[in-house]
Amino acid sequence: MTKIKICGVTNEEDATWAVNLGAHYIGLNFCKESPRKVSPEQAAKIARKVPSFVPTVGVFVEHTVPEILKIAQKVGLTGVQLHGDQTPEDARALSEKLEVLLIKAFRVGGEADLEQLAAYKDVVGYFLLDARVEGVAGGTGQTFPWDLAVRARAFGKPLFLAGGLTPDNVAQAV
C-alpha cells in the first residue's frame, strides 16, 4: 500500500488540510537551515492538532541524539526521521530510548549509495530515499533514478520516496 508523508508542515492549518486530504504522516522539520523549519514550541502546537492515528515525524539533520530525544519528548513526536549523518549507533540509541517510528533518510544518486542501507536495516523501520545534491541535506525538489528504489527494496524495509514528486510523475514513482 502506498502511503504519503507531507513534510515541512509549518502550521496547524496546513497539518489539518494534509490529514483531511489523506496524508498518512505529517513531517515537522527541525533542520536549522531549512526555510520550513519549526521550533519545538511550534511543532508541539501542530502535533496537538494532528489525530492520534496520523504519526507526527520530526525531521532531524544536524542534531545529536540528546537533542533529538529532548525535542521528540517535548513535542510528543510519534516518529523520528534521521536525515543527516547519524550513525547506526545513533539510530540504535534512539530506538532504545524512544518508542517511535524510526526512519533513516539516504541521499542517493547511484548504485554505490545503496550500500549504506545495509548498516541500518536491523535498526530502523523505514528507509527514505532522496536525491543526492551535493552540499544540500534534502528538500531540493530533485528526483533520483527511481530504479534505485527497486534495488533498495532488497534490504527488506518499506520505502519512502522524496524529492521532485509532482502530480505529473507520482504515479510513475509508485
Side-chain angles (χ1 to χ4, degrees):
M1 171 186 209
T2 301
K3 293 191 176 186
I4 303 191
K5 180 167 76 71
I6 302 296
C7 213
V9 174
T10 59
N11 61 67
E12 299 164 57
E13 182 177 290
D14 288 350
T16 299
W17 273 105
V19 170
N20 288 340
L21 291 171
H24 299 97
Y25 305 86
I26 297 297
L28 303 169
N29 193 334
F30 296 99
C31 175
K32 294 174 182 105
E33 304 300 319
S34 174
R36 294 180 306 273
K37 73 176 178 243
V38 292
S39 68
E41 294 75 23
Q42 288 172 294
K45 284 176 149 177
I46 296 166
R48 283 193 293 273
K49 290 290 188 179
V50 175
S52 61
F53 61 86
V54 177
T56 52
V57 179
V59 179
F60 298 92
V61 177
E62 67 282 339
H63 298 81
T64 65
V65 169
E67 290 171 326
I68 295 169
L69 287 169
K70 182 178 178 182
I71 293 170
Q73 291 166 342
K74 180 175 186 170
V75 173
L77 295 173
T78 51
V80 168
Q81 178 177 313
L82 304 175
H83 209 98
D85 294 329
Q86 295 93 354
T87 65
E89 293 74 27
D90 293 337
R92 198 168 281 107
L94 288 166
S95 70
E96 290 171 359
K97 292 185 169 74
L98 293 172
E99 289 192 31
V100 298
L101 166 75
L102 193 55
I103 303 167
K104 176 61 178 132
F106 299 92
R107 298 181 308 147
V108 295
E111 183 110 21
D113 292 323
L114 297 179
E115 294 173 13
Q116 58 190 326
L117 278 67
Y120 294 86
K121 69 180 178 128
D122 295 327
V123 184
V124 301
Y126 294 81
F127 292 146
L128 182 142
L129 305 180
D130 198 358
R132 174 175 290 288
V133 176
E134 291 310 316
V136 183
T140 65
Q142 302 294 310
T143 60
F144 64 91
W146 288 333
D147 62 311
L148 295 174
V150 174
R151 291 188 184 101
R153 292 179 64 205
F155 291 95
K157 294 291 176 188
L159 299 175
F160 286 102
L161 296 184
L165 295 168
T166 69
D168 296 327
N169 67 12
V170 75
Q172 179 186 358
V174 171

